[in-house]
Amino acid sequence: MPVTSLSSTLAETLTTAREAACLTQEDLAERSGVSVRAIRNLETGHTSRPRKQSLLLLAKALGLPSGEIGRLMRRPGTGHHPAPPGLVPAELPAAPHHRLVGRATHLRSLQSHLSAAQDGSTGRPAVVVGPPGAGKTALVLKAAHGVRDRFPDGQVFVDLHPNATTAPLTPDEIVPRVLRSLGAGPVADHPEEAAARLRDALSRRCVLVVLDNVDSEAQVRPLLMDGSRNAVLVAARRELPALTGQFRQHIDVLDDGEALRMLEDLLGSARTAAERSAASRVLRFCGGLPLALHIAGLWLSGRPHRSLRDLADRLTNEQDRLRFLRVGDLSLEASVAACYSSLPAPVRAALLRLRKRSGDFGVDDMLPEVTASPGMAADLLDELIDRQLAHAVGTVTGGRRLYRLHDPVRQYVTYGPVGSWHPERVTGQVWLPRQAAHSG
């Protein structure tokens, strides 16, 4: 039954129209394709900025003229009343100014997910994961800036582990940090009380929270709430399998064509074409990692008198490569070092014992140098893959699976600051797989 008269608010109009049509929220969700949660949030006024497409679908399902939806969205009282400007955090670091080559699909997917989270139709965190230097932070910031206008109560940014010389933030440190950003008053001393205060503050806000350099699910969980209008965007150094329902985006190295386009964006196609052979060497030495390519391009663009061959020659020696892939405060070695510093000691020891393997290896190749147990060798490999330090490269005859350390990781443990360490010195700690360590 069409509704011809408008109520004073969008919430009232939607509720009146649905009840007049003798539909439950579930019936309307099935008829319109809009989730039950989104409909519930619209009818209770918890959605601050409704998505136009959702409203059009609801209007069609209820027989409402679509033109009336636009007028309702502009009426006083139907929108969100944001906090005063002085209480609205705007903490996002600047987004990358360069084009994120090879990441367009990931970027669109993230922004679409975050926009849906804002209207309450999904409470799933968005997680970007990939190896060191893959450009996780750049992608996350680009996505966050693209949707920040959808979160009128602000954007909170927390770097949980900015470098290898500081300890990662614990969940009990993250909660008061976010509370202070939201201006939620005095922070309780007791962790459970602080977490409850954070949930209460978030329940009444429409905030985008961005967490960089996340290492565990426990660092993210305090920010997750069912039915909220907030969104959580995570750049993770490892897989976070215990975050059920997460919207996961895995990014990897760029292919040859994408890597060349990135270098051309930084240097110009004419300069790279003039030294095609040297450009190919630079691309090979950077291994398709966006951070390495970005550093190489900035190094050359800041030195127009230097040739691509000059840089290629500097990077030829693998022993010096990480040291030379540095410009200003950007460093591929620092990115790997921060990941390495957060590893459990037995996993670091396994890396040190694997450093001599520049090629592929399997579980059998880890015996007995890395560990004497085939089961433990398989678990260690899972941990290295989970932490984006190694990757599977294929199988050989008999179904034997092969793996390889990511090149910058192998170079760091071989030639970097830890290259002279002896794994035998790492003693007194027993490593357990994540599922065993976290059970009970």
Side-chain angles (χ1 to χ4, degrees), residues 36-341:
V36 174
R37 179 184 291 175
I39 294 171
R40 183 185 306 119
N41 286 336
L42 284 169
E43 292 191 355
T44 57
H46 283 97
T47 296
S48 61
R49 294 187 179 183
R51 298 181 70 190
K52 183 177 180 181
Q53 183 61 31
S54 297
L55 294 179
L56 291 175
L57 290 172
L58 291 169
K60 182 178 179 180
L62 291 168
L64 282 170
S66 58
E68 294 180 352
I69 293 296
R71 288 194 293 274
L72 278 172
M73 291 178 68
R74 292 190 293 271
R75 281 189 175 190
T78 62
H80 175 74
H81 298 284
L87 299 179
V88 176
E91 298 179 351
L92 293 179
H97 296 295
H98 59 279
R99 179 171 61 133
L100 299 186
V101 177
R103 305 295 189 231
T105 300
H106 296 293
L107 184 61
R108 286 194 299 270
S109 297
L110 285 170
Q111 291 181 336
S112 176
H113 172 82
L114 294 171
S115 296
Q118 181 271 338
D119 69 12
S121 61
T122 176
R124 300 182 299 160
V127 178
V128 176
V129 64
K136 300 181 289 295
T137 301
L139 175 59
V140 160
L141 288 177
K142 199 83 163 181
H145 277 276
V147 299
R148 62 180 178 177
D149 62 321
R150 290 183 170 273
F151 297 90
D153 289 332
Q155 310 86 42
V156 176
F157 178 87
V158 186
D159 189 343
L160 277 60
H161 191 201
N163 55 64
T165 62
T166 60
L169 293 181
T170 67
D172 289 345
E173 292 172 324
I174 295 166
V175 169
R177 163 69 176 81
V178 177
L179 276 171
R180 288 192 294 270
S181 292
L182 297 177
V187 178
D189 293 332
H190 195 280
E192 192 280 330
E193 184 179 346
R197 185 185 291 271
L198 178 59
R199 291 192 295 271
D200 178 67
L202 289 174
S203 70
R204 294 176 279 105
R205 312 267 182 128
C206 184
V207 177
L208 173 62
V209 181
V210 180
L211 303 177
D212 195 15
N213 292 318
V214 169
D215 190 61
S216 73
E217 295 91 341
Q219 295 172 315
V220 182
R221 275 206 183 88
L223 298 161
L224 304 181
M225 295 178 58
D226 287 336
S228 75
R229 294 167 295 142
N230 308 293
V232 179
L233 177 58
V234 172
R237 286 178 174 163
R238 64 178 305 165
E239 301 286 353
L240 303 175
L243 282 185
T244 56
Q246 65 180 276
F247 180 75
R248 176 181 174 276
Q249 295 283 294
H250 183 274
I251 59 175
D252 210 332
V253 299
L254 304 178
D255 63 33
D256 292 344
E258 292 168 339
L260 177 59
R261 286 198 297 275
M262 184 170 180
L263 198 62
E264 288 176 339
D265 282 355
L266 291 162
L267 300 179
S269 56
R271 189 174 177 186
T272 54
E275 294 188 77
R276 181 64 70 191
S277 176
S280 296
R281 291 172 61 205
V282 170
L283 296 178
R284 184 170 73 254
F285 296 146
C286 289
L289 284 171
L291 178 57
L293 291 162
H294 190 57
I295 289 171
L298 291 176
W299 191 91
L300 286 164
S301 61
R303 296 169 173 80
H305 58 287
R306 301 291 290 268
S307 67
L308 272 73
R309 180 179 176 180
D310 289 338
L311 179 58
D313 288 345
R314 286 168 64 89
L315 299 179
T316 298
N317 188 344
E318 186 180 67
Q319 184 171 346
D320 297 324
R321 194 169 298 159
L322 279 182
R323 183 164 60 89
F324 286 141
L325 280 172
R326 177 193 304 269
V327 61
D329 61 348
L330 296 179
S331 166
L332 181 59
E333 183 178 57
S335 177
V336 179
C339 294
Y340 181 87
S341 69

Side-chain angles (χ1 to χ4, degrees), residues 324-399:
F324 286 141
L325 280 172
R326 177 193 304 269
V327 61
D329 61 348
L330 296 179
S331 166
L332 181 59
E333 183 178 57
S335 177
V336 179
C339 294
Y340 181 87
S341 69
S342 64
L343 296 176
V347 179
R348 295 202 302 267
L351 275 178
L352 291 171
R353 292 184 177 110
L354 285 168
R355 60 187 169 183
K356 296 179 181 179
R357 296 199 169 273
S358 58
D360 304 339
F361 60 92
V363 171
D364 294 343
D365 299 312
M366 299 175 67
L367 307 173
E369 290 183 0
V370 178
T371 179
S373 164
M376 187 63 74
D379 287 340
L380 279 167
L381 271 173
D382 285 345
E383 187 76 2
L384 293 175
I385 293 170
D386 180 73
R387 291 179 177 273
Q388 308 299 304
L389 303 174
H391 58 106
V393 294
T395 57
V396 295
T397 304

